[in-house]
Amino acid sequence: MNKRYMFVLLTLIVTSAMILSACAPAAPATEAMTEAPTEVMTEEPTPEPTEAAPAIGSPEHPIKVLFVPSVDANVIVTGGEVMAEALNEATGLTFEVVVPTSYAATIEEMCASPDDTMAFIPAFGYVLANDLCGVDVSFKAVRRGWGVYWTMIVVARDSEINSIEDLDGLRFAFPDAGSTSGYLVPKVMLNEAGVVPGEELEAGGHPQAVRAVYTGEADFAAAFYSPWAAPEGADAWALGDDPEVPVDINNCALNEDASQLLCEGYRVLDARANIREEFPDVVSKVRILTLSPDIPNDTLSFGPEFPAELRAQIEQALSAFAETEAWGTSLGSEDFYGWSGIDVATDAEYDFIRKLVVESGTTLESLR
């Protein structure tokens, strides 16, 4: 076999092998099968039903009636409960009588509970509360026909103090730094006279401030002044008259049940009368040095978010209560706030006090 033949034969063998290899079926590719994860369905818990908040004025959510601690707290609570019961009978609403520890605390409580508080606060406190959170005035006090009242500065009757200028450097007792007649107004009066007190004593109330002068703890004090009541047939007090009773002060004494301090029939109604049982001779021991200009009377004010419908019910009920005999054992008592009645008030009536607040630089923070 020659070489040419062998070459052709090998070529045919290789070619055939290649053809057979190309025609062979391809091995199937192995696919990696990944099983989709099973989705686990979780059922959301059904929310627990929530109870509706108790209605304002209900036994579970009483309306808070706040009273500034200007007189004895026990007197306030007792008289306040009389009023609360009368309002409850008239409206069906529930009230809670509260006496905060200070004037500032009263304002703070109104702003902290704007939808369920009403408060009997003085002009100074009202202006601060209105500026702080929008507390709104409703009524003002009427005392024996007067829609205003006054600060009296009192000193020991046997002292040599004859003018406000003589008070410079002396010990000063005042009821509370949030009191209109007991602090704001007298401080402005002292500043205008160039008087800088020495030691200052925050007595805790108008009667306590007068007591501090009686006992010698202070040289002078500021407290509220309401005019004396004249006996039948005598002329009533008028602006410009002497603030002291127009009779011999040594003839002042308590009536039979100690409910009044009388001087030959003239009834003392200023802050001195509030310590009459402890010191029946207070008028002969403590005298009035001077009075302030007119001060707008104290207010009944409501929290800024107090429900209008409830407010209207309370205003109507309170107006009716003011015409009853029970009023005299509550707000009308001379040992309480001495309100002989109420009248509608407007915010603008307290602009004079706003001016004093600005002039004195007083803020709620400074009262704490």
Side-chain angles (χ1 to χ4, degrees):
M1 186 177 297
N2 60 29
K3 292 180 180 180
R4 179 179 177 83
Y5 176 78
M6 289 295 293
F7 176 77
V8 172
L9 180 61
L10 289 172
T11 300
L12 290 173
I13 292 171
V14 171
T15 302
S16 299
M18 292 176 64
I19 292 171
L20 290 173
S21 175
C23 293
T30 303
E31 294 183 9
M33 301 296 293
T34 57
E35 187 175 348
T38 303
E39 186 175 345
V40 179
M41 302 296 293
T42 58
E43 186 175 343
E44 294 186 6
T46 303
E48 293 289 333
T50 56
E51 295 184 7
I56 296 172
S58 66
E60 297 78 20
H61 189 168
I63 294 166
K64 286 176 281 190
V65 187
L66 310 178
F67 295 91
V68 292
S70 58
V71 295
D72 186 274
N74 293 323
V75 172
I76 294 175
V77 171
T78 301
E81 292 292 352
V82 172
M83 184 200 72
E85 290 175 10
L87 295 182
N88 172 259
E89 290 179 6
T91 65
L93 301 170
T94 302
F95 299 85
E96 177 186 3
V97 173
V98 181
V99 184
T101 56
S102 67
Y103 287 54
T106 306
I107 296 169
E108 290 170 338
E109 179 64 22
M110 291 196 79
C111 292
S113 299
D115 62 350
D116 62 0
T117 51
M118 53 187 282
F120 292 87
I121 52 178
F124 182 22
Y126 166 69
V127 166
L128 290 177
N130 176 262
D131 179 64
L132 182 64
C133 66
V135 166
D136 188 49
V137 67
S138 175
F139 291 120
K140 63 183 177 184
V142 175
R143 292 186 174 95
R144 297 182 176 272
W146 294 95
V148 296
Y149 71 119
W150 301 266
T151 291
M152 65 176 185
I153 293 180
V154 297
V155 298
R157 191 166 290 278
D158 60 1
S159 74
E160 297 182 358
I161 299 170
N162 297 309
S163 70
I164 194 169
E165 288 77 14
D166 293 337
L167 303 175
D168 193 50
L170 300 184
R171 296 169 299 167
F172 172 40
F174 59 91
D176 184 288
S179 171
T180 309
S181 61
Y183 192 76
L184 175 66
V185 171
K187 286 292 282 188
V188 171
M189 293 170 65
L190 295 174
N191 289 340
E192 290 178 348
V195 172
V196 179
E199 179 185 354
E200 295 193 0
L201 168 65
E202 187 166 6
H206 292 261
Q208 294 92 322
V210 174
R211 183 187 293 115
V213 173
Y214 185 100
T215 61
E217 295 176 72
D219 299 305
F220 71 101
F224 74 83
Y225 177 79
S226 290
W228 39 260
E232 187 175 353
D235 292 335
W237 184 84
L239 283 173
D241 287 351
D242 190 333
E244 297 279 15
V245 290
V247 293
D248 187 350
I249 57 171
N250 294 308
N251 292 331
C252 298
L254 302 181
N255 64 347
E256 289 186 5
D257 64 0
S259 63
Q260 299 179 13
L261 179 58
L262 300 174
C263 305
E264 297 183 16
Y266 287 84
R267 184 179 179 186
V268 178
L269 293 171
D270 60 64
R272 292 175 297 178
N274 290 79
I275 60 171
R276 64 185 180 278
E277 293 187 61
E278 185 179 8
F279 303 114
D281 61 346
V282 61
V283 174
S284 65
K285 299 294 185 182
V286 178
R287 63 182 166 90
I288 300 171
L289 177 66
T290 189
L291 296 182
S292 72
D294 298 353
I295 302 171
N297 263 346
D298 299 346
T299 78
L300 166 63
S301 300
F302 286 88
E305 298 174 17
F306 199 92
E309 182 179 348
L310 298 186
R311 173 172 169 168
Q313 292 180 46
I314 294 168
E315 289 173 336
Q316 182 177 1
L318 193 64
S319 295
F321 177 56
E323 301 298 325
T324 67
E325 290 186 8
W327 177 267
T329 64
S330 181
L331 288 159
S333 168
E334 296 298 342
D335 290 329
F336 194 169
Y337 287 169
W339 291 22
S340 52
I342 55 176
D343 198 1
V344 175
T346 65
D347 179 75
E349 294 178 61
Y350 297 88
D351 286 344
F352 166 66
I353 300 300
R354 285 191 175 88
K355 179 175 178 290
L356 296 186
V357 170
V358 172
E359 290 178 358
S360 66
T362 306
T363 64
L364 183 62
E365 287 70 25
S366 68
L367 304 182
R368 292 191 177 98

